[in-house]
Amino acid sequence: MTEEPATPRKHKLIEYANGPSLEEINGTVEVPKGKGFWRTLFAYSGPGALVAVGYMDPGNWSTSITGGQNFQYLLMSVILISSLIAMLLQNMAAKLGIVSQMDLAQAIRARTSKTLGIILWIMTEFAIMATDIAEVIGAAIALYLLFHIPLVIAVFITVFDVLLLLLLTKIGFRKIEAIVVCLILVILLVFAYQVALSNPDWGGVIKGLIPTAGTIATAPEIGGITPLSGALGIIGATVMPHNLYLHSAISQTRKLDHKNTDEVATAVRFSNWDTNIQLTLAFVVNSLLLIMGVAVFKSGAVKDPSFFGLFDALSNTSMLSNGVLIAVAKSGVLSVMFAVALLASGQNSTITGTLTGQVIMEGFVHLRMPLWARRLVTRLISVIPVLICVGMTSGMSKVDQHEALNSLMNNSQVFLAFALPFSMLPLLLLTDSAAEMGKQFKNSMWVKICGWISVIGLTILNMINMPSSFAAFVGAGQIGIAHIAAYITIGLIIALLAWCLYDMHRSNQALIASKGENNHA
């Protein structure tokens, strides 16, 4: 009797998922064993690049350039400190994934109640959508600037980057990493070239890396921004919650024998190298953006910090700082290169944002969608506020329309400040736990101290900035209501953080007791 061939299982659009993080690519990348440092580092390099993308996305550009225009090199130290904090947090996230074999979303869900897990999932989904709004605006503006495509059509075209994603899913994760690295290099080379032509004051740049009291001063106020609000803007645009979820998942793409602690230790070590190298590149890009604000343009020349304004300024010889820049700008090269870098940044963020969305959906609520469907849903939701903004300003002057889009992009980042503590605190608690990570891999004392200082400091700074962020969101006529809403939000954040702390502490104690009983048996 012959066996009937098995009928292939039909995949549903939404399926139950409770397996390894990003199961299709988990453990698929082979790594050499017993080889030299550089060959091993090359094998582990890649996840750090996907994470670094979030630190140089379109949301970072205007804060860094405006900071340079208004305060010269004063805020260089803020970019440096933000980058060091980012390295600390991302190394923790990668270590969590490698050691526990769970991404951050899975680990939080496993260590908190179902109700809290769903609340945190919804918050993180909104944070991803807020990030996607900045990407929609950046990509649409780049298409408008490069090809003169009307903004409404350009916004719709950004939806079709789902086709790019479909193609990428067919070529293998290692090639996706390579494409992302190439796009990062495009961004880096564009800004390095423009800064090199401007011949900046390198002594001033180095001096700016040292923090001073003036870095967080509330005066002077230039263009409605103080050094403190400028610093908070740079910090808010730098450390983003979705990157922690992403890194804890993609750090698991390397094939390891998790029973061999030496292999796990090697993976953690080289993951740290990868992270620190790639985030150093992100630091360089953000520094170049600030230096552009100081050295490429004449001081105070850029009145419109939107992407439109910066594009025009790079072709306006009256705004540029020296003869070499002016000569190159006449050809239109500077402005075109800026728009190309903007498009590259938007496409990079497309890849990482979609992977992160899948991570949090599978981790928090155990549901999986095909990557293309996930991307399509998120992008269509993100497109709606952008289209409304373009539609409402269609009858206004171009300057008003540009300002409205820039304001929407900046205000969309408000939710990131709300969501950030709820990824940082659980990450720190999980990696501080010997029961979770084992004595060998739990955070060392200096990492623990720096981690708590960073988490508490960033949370407090975000709360301090929240009233002004809410006020900017609603406009000058509703400042009182905005401040009340901000203080209610701060109260909710504190209550939710306390709930999260309680749940995770109780879960950790239960894990310790369980391991103690197993050892005793």
Side-chain angles (χ1 to χ4, degrees):
M1 185 176 177
T2 57
E3 270 188 36
E4 289 291 327
T7 305
R9 183 174 72 88
K10 288 186 179 180
H11 290 275
K12 298 177 182 176
L13 188 62
I14 299 178
E15 296 182 312
Y16 178 77
N18 195 19
S21 181
L22 293 176
E23 193 167 2
E24 300 86 350
I25 57 175
N26 193 295
T28 58
V29 179
E30 296 280 351
V31 289
K33 294 175 176 63
K35 301 298 180 182
F37 175 86
W38 293 108
R39 186 172 172 185
T40 309
L41 176 60
F42 178 76
Y44 279 96
S45 295
L50 270 73
V51 168
V53 165
Y55 294 93
M56 56 180 94
D57 74 343
N60 293 60
W61 292 27
S62 63
T63 54
S64 294
I65 293 175
T66 304
Q69 269 282 288
N70 292 344
F71 307 111
Q72 301 295 294
Y73 300 111
L74 181 66
L75 301 182
M76 281 291 299
S77 60
V78 178
I79 294 177
L80 175 61
I81 292 168
S82 296
S83 299
L84 292 174
I85 292 171
M87 288 178 190
L88 183 74
L89 293 171
Q90 295 299 160
N91 283 331
M92 284 186 203
K95 181 173 69 172
L96 174 69
I98 293 167
V99 175
S100 73
Q101 299 179 69
M102 292 189 291
D103 60 55
L104 181 57
Q106 291 172 329
I108 292 173
R109 181 67 187 85
R111 302 288 175 249
T112 57
S113 64
K114 185 176 180 179
T115 305
L116 180 59
I118 291 172
I119 291 170
L120 295 179
W121 169 61
I122 292 169
M123 286 172 49
T124 312
E125 286 283 9
F126 276 118
I128 289 175
M129 288 174 192
T131 305
D132 206 40
I133 287 173
E135 293 161 17
V136 170
I137 292 172
I141 292 174
L143 292 170
Y144 169 81
L145 295 174
L146 286 170
F147 308 111
H148 307 292
I149 298 171
L151 273 174
V152 172
I153 297 172
V155 169
F156 275 114
I157 289 174
T158 66
V159 174
F160 291 100
D161 66 14
V162 69
L163 299 175
L164 170 68
L165 195 71
L166 271 173
L167 174 64
L168 291 176
T169 56
K170 304 295 182 188
I171 66 173
F173 192 70
R174 196 75 175 126
K175 292 184 178 69
I176 292 176
E177 291 174 343
I179 290 168
V180 168
V181 169
C182 290
L183 290 171
I184 288 173
L185 290 175
V186 168
I187 298 167
L188 177 64
L189 291 172
V190 166
F191 294 131
Y193 174 71
Q194 296 189 354
V195 166
L197 291 180
S198 69
N199 191 26
D201 173 13
W202 292 111
V205 171
I206 294 168
K207 186 179 176 183
L209 292 171
I210 302 168
T212 64
T215 307
I216 53 171
T218 55
E221 183 175 316
I222 302 172
I225 299 173
T226 65
L228 175 61
S229 61
L232 289 172
I234 289 171
I235 292 168
T238 302
V239 184
M240 293 188 177
H242 68 277
N243 268 333
L244 303 178
Y245 292 98
L246 176 66
H247 206 176
S248 62
I250 59 176
S251 64
Q252 299 178 55
T253 52
R254 271 51 184 173
K255 191 174 182 179
L256 301 177
D257 176 7
H258 282 86
K259 294 178 182 177
N260 185 332
T261 54
D262 289 339
E263 273 195 40
V264 175
T266 298
V268 171
R269 176 187 168 213
F270 281 98
S271 177
N272 288 347
W273 272 102
D274 174 43
T275 302
N276 295 339
I277 289 169
Q278 303 291 355
L279 289 184
T280 298
L281 284 178
F283 161 72
V284 171
V285 168
N286 284 319
S287 298
L288 289 172
L289 285 163
L290 188 140
I291 295 168
M292 270 185 70
V294 181
V296 171
F297 308 109
K298 291 177 182 176
S299 181
V302 180
K303 303 299 182 186
D304 178 6
S306 72
F307 297 137
F308 300 99
L310 294 170
F311 180 85
D312 290 340
L314 285 167
S315 56
N316 186 338
T317 55
S318 65
M319 290 189 178
L320 300 175
S321 63
N322 66 45
V324 177
L325 281 168
I326 289 169
V328 177
K330 286 178 179 177
S331 68
V333 168
L334 294 182
S335 55
V336 168
M337 287 177 71
F338 175 84
V340 167
L342 182 58
L343 190 60
S345 177
Q347 293 314 302
N348 257 345
S349 300
T350 288
I351 299 165
T352 57
T354 306
L355 289 173
T356 308
Q358 191 76 334
V359 167
I360 66 159
M361 181 179 276
E362 289 184 21
F364 278 120
V365 291
H366 303 318
L367 294 177
R368 177 190 297 140
M369 295 174 69
L371 285 178
W372 66 266
R374 166 79 209 190
R375 182 60 185 170
L376 199 58
V377 170
T378 306
R379 179 49 59 95
L380 285 171
I381 292 171
S382 303
V383 155
I384 292 168
V386 183
L387 286 174
I388 291 171
C389 182
V390 172
M392 288 177 66
T393 57
S394 60
M396 299 182 185
S397 67
K398 282 191 176 181
V399 174
D400 288 337
Q401 189 176 57
H402 298 172
E403 285 181 357
L405 278 171
N406 201 51
S407 177
L408 174 63
M409 184 179 69
N410 292 334
N411 289 330
S412 71
Q413 307 303 296
V414 171
F415 204 86
L416 298 180
F418 184 93
L420 183 60
F422 299 99
S423 54
M424 292 192 301
L425 179 65
L427 175 64
L428 187 56
L429 292 170
L430 289 162
T431 52
D432 277 349
S433 168
E436 197 75 57
M437 305 293 290
K439 289 183 179 178
Q440 181 178 353
F441 297 109
K442 75 168 189 174
N443 292 334
S444 63
M445 184 54 68
W446 79 266
V447 170
K448 188 173 183 176
I449 292 169
C450 291
W452 278 104
I453 290 171
S454 301
V455 169
I456 293 170
L458 282 174
T459 302
I460 290 172
L461 285 172
N462 277 321
M463 287 182 181
I464 289 171
N465 198 41
M466 205 163 279
S468 60
S469 296
F470 273 51
F473 189 79
V474 300
Q478 304 290 333
I479 289 178
I481 294 172
H483 284 182
I484 292 170
Y487 293 128
I488 291 171
T489 303
I490 289 169
L492 286 172
I493 289 173
I494 293 169
L496 277 172
L497 285 174
W499 186 1
C500 189
L501 194 62
Y502 170 75
D503 265 16
M504 298 199 72
H505 174 72
R506 187 179 62 175
S507 177
N508 190 57
Q509 293 302 111
L511 190 61
I512 292 170
S514 172
K515 290 194 172 184
E517 286 174 9
N518 290 338
N519 291 338
H520 183 70

